[in-house]
Amino acid sequence: MIHSPNSPKLLIVASIISHHAGVSIPQHAHATGQLSVVLRGTMTVTGERGWWVAPPGLAIWLPPETPHAARYSESSSLINVLFQPGTSLSLPTQCGPVVVSDLLRELAREAARLSVADDLGSLSPANVSALGLLAQVMTLQIQLPKAATSLFVPHGRDKRLRYVIDLLHQDPGSSLTLEDFAAEAHTSSRTLARLFESETSMTFTRWREQLRIVCAVDRLTRGRSITDTALELGYASASSFTTLFTRLLGMPPKKYMCHLHNTGEQRPEYR
């Protein structure tokens, strides 16, 4: 965009994007920082350290030049807000989740409305100024010390570990043991256990629990029942699943999902 010496600088630009179920975006990076605010559906973002799942109520922050890929397991819509590099200097330097308050969501909506033009160079000076003010308030909102839900699964680097993680990602409800997976990866169970602890900072058992809970949130967001989700993910009953879910995320599944969706657009009935 070309500005005269006295014209305000365009600090952010935003757009509302929709994706069909099953869409995958290959790995790429942006020169700008990006905040992806999920309005409907779920978004899975994979980075160098692992992957995050964001349902409505959460957003994913990506610093400039961060390689990442994205996947949408159901029909989804989101607002992508791009922050010019200088604007994002005070924002986190690593990819991670952001709690979406009502204010932050509406600021993103307004940024998308103000960004609409055939060419960004045709935005009026008033819109550019308004976007600058929104950028300042959104930056403050992102920096607020709100505890974001830990819907993150680390994946490590060792090829044996990554092979096992890929198997579990494809079938999170698998009942195979550590010993079984070690045999699949042509290594010892002791070595595999050590790799989980050294590269993911979790034991094998704890890592699988985290994977299953993150997958559970994705399924529940898509309207699956708590019972069906529990059985699909390898739990003997809904009650055993609920106990673990509550221990890891601080509240039972139904309450947790309703809490998330209070800040989003969709509010399915959880059973």
Side-chain angles (χ1 to χ4, degrees):
M1 179 178 181
I2 300 174
H3 299 282
S4 69
N6 297 320
S7 64
K9 179 183 177 182
L10 183 60
L11 299 181
I12 61 171
V13 63
S15 58
I16 298 177
I17 298 174
S18 296
H19 292 290
H20 296 298
V23 168
S24 293
I25 310 297
Q27 182 169 288
H28 61 288
H30 308 282
T32 57
Q34 176 176 288
L35 182 71
S36 293
V37 179
V38 180
L39 301 176
R40 176 174 53 82
T42 58
M43 175 179 64
T44 299
V45 173
T46 301
E48 293 182 348
R49 296 187 295 127
W51 66 90
W52 292 260
V53 170
L58 290 178
I60 298 294
W61 164 250
L62 291 155
E65 306 297 349
T66 300
H68 64 282
R71 179 174 56 83
Y72 303 87
S73 56
E74 67 165 322
S75 178
S76 306
S77 64
L78 61 150
I79 304 174
N80 278 340
V81 185
L82 302 181
F83 290 73
Q84 296 302 320
T87 311
S88 61
L89 290 177
S90 59
L91 293 174
T93 57
Q94 289 190 323
C95 178
V98 174
V99 175
V100 180
S101 64
D102 290 344
L103 176 58
L104 181 55
R105 187 183 68 251
E106 295 310 314
L107 289 170
R109 287 187 186 280
E110 181 65 4
R113 187 187 71 80
L114 291 171
S115 298
V116 173
D118 293 333
D119 179 347
L120 290 178
S122 67
L123 287 178
S124 69
N127 278 20
V128 174
S129 294
L131 285 167
L133 293 174
L134 290 177
Q136 296 178 43
V137 182
M138 292 183 74
T139 298
L140 293 174
Q141 280 283 303
I142 295 169
Q143 291 176 302
L144 287 177
K146 294 180 180 178
T149 301
S150 182
L151 298 180
F152 172 67
V153 183
H155 58 205
R157 294 182 180 275
D158 184 274
K159 64 180 182 180
R160 294 162 295 181
L161 177 63
R162 290 292 290 269
Y163 177 73
V164 171
I165 282 176
D166 287 343
L167 291 177
L168 279 163
H169 198 195
Q170 293 167 26
D171 183 14
S174 171
S175 60
L176 294 181
T177 65
L178 176 68
E179 290 72 21
D180 294 329
F181 282 115
E184 289 279 347
H186 304 290
T187 188
S188 69
S189 58
R190 178 177 295 182
T191 296
L192 185 58
R194 176 180 55 78
L195 287 171
F196 266 102
E197 292 192 27
S198 63
E199 297 206 12
T200 74
S201 300
M202 297 180 184
T203 65
F204 168 75
T205 299
R206 175 66 185 86
W207 186 93
R208 178 149 67 176
E209 288 176 345
Q210 181 71 9
L211 171 69
R212 287 177 171 177
I213 290 304
V214 170
C215 291
V217 172
D218 180 55
R219 284 165 165 76
L220 292 170
T221 300
R222 287 185 269 155
R224 301 303 295 269
S225 72
I226 291 172
T227 299
D228 287 347
T229 296
L231 297 177
E232 288 172 3
L233 294 176
Y235 296 94
S237 66
S239 61
S240 60
F241 164 70
T242 297
T243 298
L244 178 65
F245 192 104
T246 304
R247 174 166 64 83
L248 294 182
L249 296 185
M251 60 185 75
K254 183 175 181 179
K255 182 177 180 181
Y256 177 85
M257 297 305 296
C258 288
H259 172 74
L260 276 182
H261 286 292
N262 280 339
T263 60
E265 288 191 334
Q266 66 179 35
R267 295 174 173 82
E269 185 69 26
Y270 300 102
R271 335 185 268 290

